[in-house]
Amino acid sequence: VDEGRVNKISFTGSTEIGKMIGEVCGRNLVSCSLELGGKNPLVVMPSADINNAVEGAYWGAFGTAGQRCTSLGNLILHKDIYDEFMEKFMAKVEATRIGDSLVHDGVLYGPMLSEKYAKDFKKNQPQTIMSITKMFINLFVGELVKKKSIDLNKKVSHYLPKIGSGYANAKVQDVLNMNIINSYTEDYTKAYSSSFLHEPVGGWRLPKNLKNHLSQEEYLNTIKKIKNKSLINSSEYAFYKSANTDVVGLIVEKVSGRTLRDWVLSAVEAAGFEEGLYIASDRYGMPWMSGGGCLITRDFLRMGLLFARKGMGVGNRKVGSPSFLDKTIKNLGPKYMELSKNKYLYYSNSTMVSGNMIGHSGYGGQFLATNFKTGKVAAFFSVLETKSATKESYKVDMINMLINLVNN
């Protein structure tokens, strides 16, 4: 261009490169046409053929994996046809098959991984699974229920006499289902959220008083109810509190007479992990069941297989209760989140359930999904760089994708 041998440049790509081309063309008075990743809109009016519009929007958004410059970015719908359009559109989206088109028919596009994060997801690199460790509690409680060692309709104080008012009068079942209200908060955008104040117990941060070495049990005993309020959740949605899982873990230990560490070991051995489970604990060795675990990818899938096979592990090792797992997907707890119109993810017995899918999400962008009927497992690692390290719309897309994978 500087030599005067080019009369015009047409470029499609990043804004960064577009600026460079614009600068070169500008100083040489050469015209340029730049397509720098605009958000292409599609407007649908009431006069449109809805089925045709749905088809066009679907292929516009997802054809060629959504990576062409003319891909649909914004869908603008007239309010009169919004509900009908979205119902049909989301039905197509949820039925989309993602995988290897050389092996499976009807696959729209293959799995994708940003080069930026590829180096973080090596085959033998343990990745955090965070709250997905909560699923182990389902197995432990299931065994105790089967043996009639625990009654989920009993109050927590029946098993833990020293527990604080935040749990004392709550039914164990409600705690297991994230279905109570107390003073424990889990807002990761607030510095003094209970979830942050809980972390010194597991050594994740220094306590305010360096001589204060609370055990998990001692900390849980300090959680109180909200003044002048009942523990009963009168809404239809779960109140997610990680401390709930730790309370149930403490009950498992007290009722069984086995350390929680021994329970975890039995699950790890049944799963047949190739590498191992890395999990945080308090300074006295009690595993932090509500989160903080790490697994390599293959072991993450092995964990899922343990659930897909209803607790039947390698070498005929067994953990959990098949009947309790069946009840988990039938006797649903409160709604956790809406996945699409009239389709919800429910919180049930320390797992997340939608139809025949049972799994759990992890803080920061992970999910493990299994299906008893198909026997399939799908695991998802990712890194969210939002302020709160979570994003509801992202989670909805991720979970719907995994449900589709394990259901088909």
Side-chain angles (χ1 to χ4, degrees):
V1 178
D2 286 335
E3 293 176 3
R5 299 165 61 184
V6 176
N7 294 322
K8 181 170 182 173
I9 292 180
S10 176
F11 172 77
T12 299
S14 70
T15 301
E16 181 181 4
I17 301 300
K19 287 179 178 179
M20 294 170 62
I21 294 173
E23 188 275 326
V24 171
C25 290
R27 69 169 181 257
N28 289 284
L29 299 179
V30 171
S31 66
C32 62
S33 176
L34 305 175
E35 168 54 56
L36 306 179
K39 302 295 287 184
N40 304 301
L42 174 65
V43 179
V44 186
M45 300 300 289
S47 59
D49 180 321
I50 299 299
N51 291 329
N52 190 39
V54 166
E55 192 70 20
Y58 176 73
W59 286 104
F62 301 107
T64 61
Q67 296 190 77
R68 59 174 177 247
C69 62
T70 55
S71 289
L72 173 63
N74 293 314
L75 186 56
I76 304 169
L77 307 174
H78 192 281
K79 63 180 181 179
D80 291 348
I81 51 93
Y82 178 86
D83 290 339
E84 179 186 359
F85 185 98
M86 288 304 297
E87 181 177 357
K88 293 180 176 179
F89 182 71
M90 290 309 300
K92 286 188 69 67
V93 172
E94 290 171 12
T96 300
R97 298 200 68 187
I98 301 171
D100 187 347
S101 60
L102 297 176
V103 177
H104 304 289
D105 294 330
V107 172
L108 182 63
Y109 57 84
M112 294 179 290
L113 176 65
S114 171
E115 184 179 357
K116 177 181 178 181
Y117 298 115
K119 64 181 183 296
D120 296 330
F121 294 93
K122 296 177 181 177
K123 179 180 177 180
N124 295 315
Q125 172 67 45
Q127 305 291 339
T128 180
I129 64 170
M130 299 303 287
S131 289
I132 298 171
T133 53
K134 289 179 169 71
M135 292 182 70
F136 286 120
I137 288 294
N138 178 286
L139 300 176
F140 307 158
V141 170
E143 278 195 38
L144 294 173
V145 168
K146 183 179 179 180
K147 295 175 181 177
K148 298 183 178 179
S149 299
I150 186 172
D151 182 347
L152 299 183
N153 289 315
K154 293 280 190 181
K155 291 181 179 179
V156 173
S157 58
H158 177 78
Y159 300 105
L160 303 175
K162 296 181 180 180
I163 199 69
S165 62
Y167 290 100
N169 289 322
K171 290 182 179 180
V172 177
Q173 181 67 76
D174 287 333
V175 178
L176 199 58
N177 285 355
M178 299 289 178
N179 201 25
I180 69 164
I181 297 173
N182 60 28
S183 62
Y184 191 94
T185 58
E186 194 153 349
D187 183 347
Y188 289 97
T189 65
K190 295 182 178 178
Y192 291 96
S193 176
S194 302
S195 51
F196 285 136
L197 301 178
H198 191 174
E199 289 184 354
V201 170
W204 294 356
R205 64 182 63 227
L206 292 173
K208 186 175 182 180
N209 179 352
L210 295 180
K211 294 182 179 181
N212 188 355
H213 302 306
L214 285 180
S215 68
Q216 182 74 277
E217 181 175 2
E218 289 171 331
Y219 178 83
L220 297 174
N221 288 345
T222 69
I223 299 173
K224 301 183 182 301
K225 70 176 186 177
I226 300 173
K227 189 175 181 180
N228 299 323
K229 282 193 175 184
S230 164
L231 300 178
I232 297 173
N233 174 20
S234 57
S235 79
E236 60 181 343
Y237 280 88
F239 275 75
Y240 190 87
K241 301 171 184 290
S242 287
N244 290 10
T245 308
D246 296 314
V247 168
V248 178
L250 188 58
I251 292 173
V252 167
E253 191 170 270
K254 300 291 186 182
V255 167
S256 67
R258 292 172 60 190
T259 64
L260 200 54
R261 183 169 44 184
D262 189 50
W263 279 97
V264 173
L265 181 60
S266 68
V268 167
E269 290 180 335
F273 289 155
E274 177 181 318
E275 170 72 16
L277 170 66
Y278 301 83
I279 189 167
S281 72
D282 69 7
R283 66 186 293 116
Y284 308 102
M286 185 178 190
W288 197 313
M289 299 311 301
S290 63
C294 294
L295 290 170
I296 64 171
T297 305
R298 286 164 63 91
D299 286 343
F300 195 22
L301 292 167
R302 285 187 175 95
M303 178 181 173
L305 283 173
L306 189 61
F307 283 86
R309 296 166 181 167
K310 297 185 178 180
M312 176 59 73
V314 300
N316 292 321
R317 296 185 179 97
K318 296 179 182 178
V319 61
S321 163
S323 61
F324 189 71
L325 283 165
D326 287 335
K327 289 178 181 178
T328 296
I329 63 173
K330 291 177 182 176
N331 303 330
L332 300 175
K335 296 172 182 175
Y336 176 74
M337 69 187 309
E338 188 174 18
L339 297 176
S340 61
K341 186 177 181 181
N342 298 322
K343 177 184 176 183
Y344 294 91
L345 188 66
Y346 295 86
Y347 207 91
S348 179
N349 291 335
S350 202
T351 68
M352 296 176 181
V353 175
S354 180
N356 291 315
M357 189 285 300
I358 183 170
H360 209 290
S361 64
Y363 177 63
Q366 313 88 38
F367 201 89
L368 180 64
T370 70
N371 185 305
F372 296 151
K373 289 191 175 181
T374 64
K376 292 182 179 180
V377 177
F380 191 88
F381 285 126
S382 64
V383 178
L384 279 173
E385 296 182 332
T386 61
K387 181 180 179 181
S388 63
T390 188
K391 185 177 180 181
E392 291 300 293
S393 60
Y394 178 90
K395 287 174 67 175
V396 166
D397 291 342
M398 171 181 67
I399 294 168
N400 277 324
M401 176 186 69
L402 294 175
I403 289 175
N404 180 52
L405 288 174
V406 299
N407 284 356
N408 297 304

